[in-house]
Amino acid sequence: MSNKPKKDLSLEQRKTDVDLWAIALISFVVLGIYMVFQNQFIAFVKDSSINILLRVLWSAAFQFGLAGLGIVMVSMIRKENLLTYGLNRKGAVLSVILCSLCFVPYMIFMLSTGQITSYLPFQSVWTTREVLSSGFPINVIGMLITAIAWGFFEGFNYVVISDKINRRYPSKNRWLNWGAIACAVLCILIHGAIGVTAEGIIEMVTIFLIVYGMVMVKEYTGNAWGCVFIFTFFWNAF
């Protein structure tokens, strides 16, 4: 009887290892496909003669493959309900407020370096401005697809990955949250924000604070909507 908890924990850790490797593998496969067909992909997305919704869907499919498909596939195999990862109403307002505060250092950095010239959610997504200039209901449908792929799933992806990392590598220190740290480093690597100059290092630190901070907010509030809010209204908006 005394050995059973250790066996259960070991089994849970092995399952979590498989989950994390599966998520990583799916993301790398999609990334590999994108890299091989990058020129064709870009040409298709930027071809204004093709229906804008088709181009949004094509682009969103790759984005979802990189940040979303892995956690969805694993949750389906494990029969997990993604709502249990903090997608609830309780604590949502506090989560949004605290996560927004995590973005403040990055905004100060961008303002001080003159990088903020306008505000528009998802403006760094290639199809956003063309979608917005399209008539109803194309503009609404296109922005909804964009918000789901680049907002909801990119933000929520970090929540699920962080949770699984913490299950695998639990820490007794509240601030030494391996999931939050790993996701922050992953975000920096994915977006190529590795600083080699003083300015670059400051940017890297502020990005680290965004992701680490929002995941810690999720841990504190038990609510993940703040993480989704960050990637929907702030991340690609300046």
Side-chain angles (χ1 to χ4, degrees), residues 106-181:
Y106 185 62
M107 287 192 66
I108 293 174
F109 166 77
M110 288 195 295
L111 283 169
S112 64
T113 54
Q115 296 184 48
I116 295 182
T117 56
S118 62
Y119 171 79
L120 176 67
F122 308 113
Q123 67 171 292
S124 63
V125 177
W126 290 334
T127 53
T128 295
R129 295 188 184 278
E130 190 175 347
V131 165
L132 290 174
S133 65
S134 302
F136 179 85
I138 293 176
N139 51 5
V140 175
I141 297 172
M143 287 307 297
L144 180 61
I145 295 170
T146 301
I148 291 173
W150 281 271
F152 177 81
F153 275 111
E154 185 163 2
F156 190 58
N157 197 50
Y158 288 116
V159 172
V160 177
I161 292 174
S162 173
D163 185 88
K164 288 186 177 294
I165 291 175
N166 288 329
R167 290 186 203 174
R168 178 61 183 87
Y169 303 102
S171 173
K172 294 181 179 179
N173 188 314
R174 180 177 183 179
W175 300 104
L176 192 63
N177 186 301
W178 296 118
I181 293 171

Side-chain angles (χ1 to χ4, degrees), residues 51-217:
N51 183 282
I52 182 60
L53 284 184
L54 288 178
R55 288 184 282 135
V56 172
L57 281 170
W58 183 248
S59 186
F62 273 91
Q63 171 64 20
F64 173 69
L66 287 171
L69 180 60
I71 63 173
V72 170
M73 292 294 292
V74 167
S75 68
M76 291 175 63
I77 293 172
R78 297 296 186 197
K79 297 181 180 179
E80 294 178 336
N81 186 343
L82 288 177
L83 296 178
T84 61
Y85 285 91
L87 295 177
N88 47 66
R89 288 183 294 179
K90 185 179 179 181
V93 174
L94 180 61
S95 177
V96 168
I97 293 173
L98 293 179
C99 283
S100 298
L101 291 176
C102 294
F103 204 86
V104 170
Y106 185 62
M107 287 192 66
I108 293 174
F109 166 77
M110 288 195 295
L111 283 169
S112 64
T113 54
Q115 296 184 48
I116 295 182
T117 56
S118 62
Y119 171 79
L120 176 67
F122 308 113
Q123 67 171 292
S124 63
V125 177
W126 290 334
T127 53
T128 295
R129 295 188 184 278
E130 190 175 347
V131 165
L132 290 174
S133 65
S134 302
F136 179 85
I138 293 176
N139 51 5
V140 175
I141 297 172
M143 287 307 297
L144 180 61
I145 295 170
T146 301
I148 291 173
W150 281 271
F152 177 81
F153 275 111
E154 185 163 2
F156 190 58
N157 197 50
Y158 288 116
V159 172
V160 177
I161 292 174
S162 173
D163 185 88
K164 288 186 177 294
I165 291 175
N166 288 329
R167 290 186 203 174
R168 178 61 183 87
Y169 303 102
S171 173
K172 294 181 179 179
N173 188 314
R174 180 177 183 179
W175 300 104
L176 192 63
N177 186 301
W178 296 118
I181 293 171
C183 286
V185 173
L186 179 64
C187 181
I188 290 171
L189 294 174
I190 289 174
H191 294 280
I194 302 174
V196 293
T197 63
E199 184 177 302
I201 292 172
I202 294 173
E203 181 180 18
M204 182 175 65
V205 171
T206 56
I207 291 175
F208 182 93
L209 291 175
I210 292 171
V211 181
Y212 173 84
M214 73 178 197
V215 174
M216 292 300 291
V217 167

